[in-house]
Amino acid sequence: MAVERTLSIIKPDATRRNLTGKINAVFEDAGLRIVAQKRIQLTPATAGAFYEVHKERPFYNDLVSFMVSGPVVVQVLQGENAVAKNREVMGATDPKKAEAHTIRAQFAESIEANSVHGSDSLENAKNEIAFFFAGTEILP
Ligand code: GDP
């Protein structure tokens, strides 16, 4: 297994409920290291560009509105097999289908307000990390 980096976003439903620390503890307990982190307010343009891949999906406009509804915490997680490991600890998109103890099973409010984003491939992780972070902001 290789050491990888992946992009994580703690979404507005979770920052609103003051869950950043609880979610970060799940990452750290799973062996993922938070090597970059910042709390930011997304604009509609930035959220729309980030989720460009979903532009044709019926939920795109709602998703962009949700992502700008409050601050988010963007972060880079590093560790062995980090992309798959993060997807595992996040749980399924729909919290009703997420395995017990995953972040979404524990904290998500709905399929949309599901508390976290995580890159779904190593290639997307590289692009998504570069979307939010300069190399100098990542400190292993
Ligand atoms: P993820 O990789 O598990 O985050 O899931 P996707 O890439 O398929 O979807 C991106 C995000 O869009 C999800 O995390 C949800 O916030 C939202 N989303 C996905 N499916 C739906 C849906 O059916 N309805 C709504 N309202 N939002 C959705």
Side-chain angles (χ1 to χ4, degrees):
M1 275 194 294
V3 173
E4 297 173 351
R5 288 176 178 171
T6 190
L7 185 87
S8 166
I9 306 178
I10 300 179
K11 295 184 179 183
D13 66 287
T15 60
R16 181 168 42 78
R17 288 175 289 148
N18 209 22
L19 292 171
T20 300
K22 285 203 172 85
I23 291 172
N24 280 348
V26 177
F27 295 141
E28 292 183 343
D29 288 348
L32 292 164
R33 177 173 286 270
I34 301 162
V35 295
Q37 175 165 263
K38 56 190 173 189
R39 185 174 172 102
I40 59 173
Q41 174 64 51
L42 293 175
T43 63
T46 311
F50 183 78
Y51 279 117
E52 181 84 39
V53 58
H54 292 311
K55 207 170 171 102
E56 304 308 323
R57 308 275 286 273
F59 57 80
Y60 175 76
N61 287 335
D62 287 344
L63 175 59
V64 171
S65 299
F66 163 62
M67 290 300 288
V68 304
S69 67
V72 297
V73 177
V74 291
Q75 46 193 190
V76 180
L77 307 179
Q78 179 177 296
E80 295 278 347
N81 220 14
V83 173
K85 169 67 74 179
N86 184 37
R87 297 290 302 185
E88 192 184 309
V89 300
M90 288 164 59
T93 310
D94 181 351
K96 292 195 208 100
K97 297 183 181 150
E99 289 203 40
H101 308 302
T102 60
I103 291 169
R104 284 166 165 171
Q106 289 186 76
F107 302 121
E109 294 183 319
S110 67
I111 191 168
E112 178 180 85
N114 59 4
S115 300
V116 280
H117 165 85
S119 309
D120 62 3
S121 70
L122 195 53
E123 190 190 350
N124 284 342
K126 290 194 170 116
N127 292 333
E128 292 180 359
I129 289 168
F131 188 92
F132 285 112
F133 291 96
T136 50
E137 293 178 297
I138 302 170
L139 298 165

